[in-house]
Amino acid sequence: MVDFRLSEEQIRLQNLAKDFAKKEIEPICASYDRKQDPKECFPTHAFAKAIQVGLQSIYIPREYGGMGLGDFEASLVFEEIGAADAGFASALCISASIAQAMIHFGTKEQKERWLPKICKDTDFILGFGVTEYGAGSEAYIASEDPKVGSKTTCKLEGDHYVINGVKHFISNGGCGKLYGVAARNSLEKPMFGTICTFFVDADTPGFRIGKIEDKMGQRLMLNGELIFENVKVPKENLVGQDGGGAAVLLDIGCSTSVTIGAIGIGIARTAYELAASYARKRMSGGKPLIEHEAVSLMLADMKMEIDAARSLLWRNTWLNDRDGRDYPRAAEVKVYCAEVSKRVTNWAMQIYGGLGYMRDSPIEKLVRDSAIMTIYDGTSEVLKQWISGQSHL
Ligand SMILES: Cc1cc2nc3c(=O)[nH]c(=O)nc-3n(C[C@H](O)[C@H](O)[C@H](O)COP(=O)(O)OP(=O)(O)OC[C@H]3O[C@@H](n4cnc5c(N)ncnc54)[C@H](O)[C@@H]3O)c2cc1C
C-alpha cells in the first residue's frame, strides 16, 4: 500500500524550512528584488543563515556535518523556500545539488576537503558551469558530431589540467567560492565521451567572474560569466573519470530537476493562495469574485494542477531514493512542475485583474519568477527528449 503521510521527522524538516522562509526570506525578498544593480540583489546575510541551519547541506552525510537526506526530503524543503522566493531557493538548490555530486563522484580527499566547508562555512557557496554562448541546449544533447556542444577545453600537462573557455548565465556566478566546470579533453570526438568535470577554487589564478546578468525574475540569485584563461587545476580536482563527466552532469541534473520542480510548486502555491484570498474579498456585480463560476473554475484548475504536480514530485523522488536515480524520471518532475508554475501564476494574474500587472501587487513578481522555470536547467523541449528516450548517455 502507498502511504502519503509524512513522518514526524519529515514534518519537522518541512517546518524548519517554512519557519526559515517566513522569518529570513519573506521580510527581505521584495526589497532585494527591486535593487537596480544586479550585483546587490544577492542577500548574503540571509543566505549565510540558510547555510547555518543546514539547508545547503541537506544531502551531505552526517559524518561530514550535513543532514544526510534524499531527494524526497529535499523536495519538501525546496517547496517551502520556493514559496517564499524562487531566486533564493534556486541559488540554494544549485549549491546543494553540486554538493550531492561531490558525494557520489568525489574522491575521499575531495570529500574531506570540501564537504565540511559546505556544511559550516557560511560563505562557501557553489556554482556549476556548463552553458556557453555557443552551447546552451546543445550541452544537454548527445550528438555524434564533434562540432556540437561546449567548447571549453582541458588539457592534461603533468600533474595538472589547463582549462580555457567561457561559461555564461551561471547560477551563483559571482558569489561562489567553489565552481564546478565541464570541459572537453578533445574537440575532435563526440562531446559526451570527452567531458571532464572539475572543481575550481574561485581564487585560482586565471579564473575570473565576468558579466553579472540583469534578469527579469529570480533576481535574488546571481547569474554570472565564468572566465577560464589558462587556469591550472591540480589533477586531484577532477571529479569522476577523465572523459566521464557526462555522468556527473546527469547526477547534478537529477537533484536540480526535482528541487527546481519543488520550487515551481512553491511559486504556484503562493500564487494560488493569494488569488483565492483576493477572490474572496474583491467584489464584482454585488458578490465576491469567487462566487462567479468562471473564477471559481479557474481556482479549481489551479488547485488540481498543484496537487497533481506535487503527487508526481513525491512519487518520482520516492522512486529515485528507493530504486536509484534516473534522469528521465527527475526530468518529468522538472518539466511538469515548471509548466504548472507558469500556468498557475498567469491564472493568478488573471484573477487579480489589472492589479496583478502592477508592481504594487505580489503577483507580478511571481509571474516574473516563474517565467524562467521552463528554460533553465534544461528547457522543456530538450528534457522531453530525455523523457521520451530520444536522448540518452
Ligand atoms: C536564471 C538562469 C540560471 C541558469 N543557471 C545555469 C547554471 O547554473 N549552469 C549552467 O551551466 N547553465 C545555467 N543556465 C543556462 C541554461 O541552462 C540555458 O539557458 C538553457 O539550457 C537553454 O540554453 P540557451 O539559453 O542557450 O537556449 P537555446 O539552446 O538557444 O534554446 C533556444 C530555444 O530553442 C530550443 N531548442 C534548442 N535546441 C533544441 C533541440 N535540439 N531540440 C528542440 N528544441 C531546441 C530550446 O528548447 C529553446 O526553446 C541558466 C540560465 C538562466 C536563465
Side-chain angles (χ1 to χ4, degrees):
M1 197 174 80
V2 174
D3 186 346
F4 285 102
R5 279 171 302 187
L6 298 180
S7 69
E8 275 179 26
E9 200 185 328
Q10 287 165 339
I11 292 170
R12 261 200 304 278
L13 178 71
Q14 199 179 37
N15 286 337
L16 172 93
K18 200 186 294 242
D19 293 345
F20 179 83
K22 211 156 220 46
K23 195 160 150 241
E24 307 293 347
I25 307 175
E26 281 178 18
I28 58 145
C29 60
S31 64
Y32 276 84
D33 173 69
R34 294 289 178 93
K35 288 185 192 287
Q36 289 292 314
D37 182 350
K39 293 188 209 72
E40 290 174 7
C41 290
F42 179 68
T44 312
H45 192 59
F47 208 87
K49 286 187 177 166
I51 295 175
Q52 224 164 32
V53 299
L55 298 179
Q56 182 169 262
S57 46
I58 182 159
Y59 289 118
I60 298 178
R62 284 172 192 269
E63 63 194 278
Y64 295 105
M67 292 196 197
L69 299 171
D71 283 330
F72 184 85
E73 281 81 12
S75 72
L76 297 177
V77 165
F78 284 102
E79 178 179 335
E80 297 308 323
I81 306 295
D85 186 88
F88 190 102
S90 295
L92 192 58
C93 90
I94 300 284
S95 221
S97 301
I98 299 166
Q100 170 76 309
M102 200 185 284
I103 297 157
H104 290 157
F105 291 91
T107 60
K108 188 166 175 286
E109 290 68 33
Q110 288 171 349
K111 291 178 193 173
E112 283 170 358
R113 182 169 160 204
W114 286 311
L115 293 179
K117 279 176 183 286
I118 299 169
C119 298
K120 276 203 313 277
D121 292 9
T122 55
D123 61 351
F124 204 82
I125 299 166
L126 293 89
F128 205 104
V130 179
T131 307
E132 300 175 7
Y133 286 95
S137 299
E138 267 192 16
Y140 286 79
I141 292 171
S143 168
E144 288 305 308
D145 182 351
K147 290 195 204 70
V148 171
S150 50
K151 300 291 181 289
T152 295
T153 56
C154 59
K155 193 159 175 251
L156 184 59
E157 290 182 0
D159 60 357
H160 60 262
Y161 285 87
V162 180
I163 302 177
N164 277 292
V166 177
K167 303 286 178 180
H168 80 149
F169 294 170
I170 308 308
S171 301
N172 296 335
C175 61
K177 282 279 188 288
L178 185 69
Y179 293 100
V181 58
R184 289 173 67 181
N185 59 21
S186 165
L187 297 181
E188 312 297 319
K189 295 182 197 153
M191 179 185 69
F192 267 14
T194 64
I195 299 173
C196 304
T197 46
F198 300 92
F199 282 113
V200 179
D201 287 308
D203 58 5
T204 309
F207 171 76
R208 66 191 161 89
I209 299 292
K211 182 187 180 198
I212 302 286
E213 300 293 340
D214 191 5
K215 308 197 297 297
M216 73 180 271
Q218 299 214 5
R219 290 180 62 81
L220 272 68
M221 170 169 68
L222 291 188
N223 287 86
E225 219 177 14
L226 311 184
I227 301 171
F228 299 83
E229 283 168 340
N230 292 319
V231 176
K232 279 188 185 178
V233 176
K235 257 176 21 184
E236 296 77 56
N237 287 26
L238 175 73
V239 189
Q241 302 295 315
D242 185 309
V248 179
L249 301 185
L250 287 195
D251 189 71
I252 296 175
C254 277
S255 317
T256 50
S257 290
V258 297
T259 46
I260 289 175
I263 293 167
I265 295 173
I267 301 174
R269 189 183 90 194
T270 300
Y272 168 74
E273 286 168 1
L274 287 166
S277 155
Y278 184 76
R280 282 190 196 93
K281 287 187 290 218
R282 170 82 172 160
M283 301 296 286
S284 177
K287 56 185 182 181
L289 286 182
I290 198 164
E291 290 179 22
H292 293 275
E293 193 182 22
V295 174
S296 68
L297 291 180
M298 225 183 315
L299 285 164
D301 283 337
M302 291 160 83
K303 176 122 184 24
M304 286 189 293
E305 293 228 0
I306 294 167
D307 285 347
R310 190 183 293 108
S311 301
L312 181 67
L313 171 73
W314 283 20
R315 171 188 175 270
N316 285 15
T317 50
W318 179 79
L319 281 170
N320 270 7
D321 286 340
R322 196 194 64 167
D323 297 344
R325 295 174 128 200
D326 176 59
Y327 184 56
R329 188 154 60 206
E332 272 182 39
V333 171
K334 158 71 168 56
V335 171
Y336 191 77
C337 298
E339 291 181 357
V340 165
S341 85
K342 280 174 96 165
R343 277 199 295 275
V344 169
T345 48
N346 275 290
W347 275 322
M349 185 161 70
Q350 194 67 19
I351 290 173
Y352 262 69
L355 180 59
Y357 195 66
M358 303 301 162
R359 301 203 88 184
D360 288 342
S361 90
I363 297 296
E364 69 91 30
K365 175 176 180 294
L366 294 170
V367 173
R368 285 189 285 113
D369 284 350
S370 71
I372 192 60
M373 298 303 290
T374 53
I375 298 173
Y376 70 166
D377 201 43
T379 65
S380 291
E381 296 73 30
V382 164
L383 293 186
K384 282 178 185 172
Q385 294 178 29
W386 284 87
I387 296 166
S388 68
Q390 279 295 102
S391 273
H392 46 81
L393 256 191

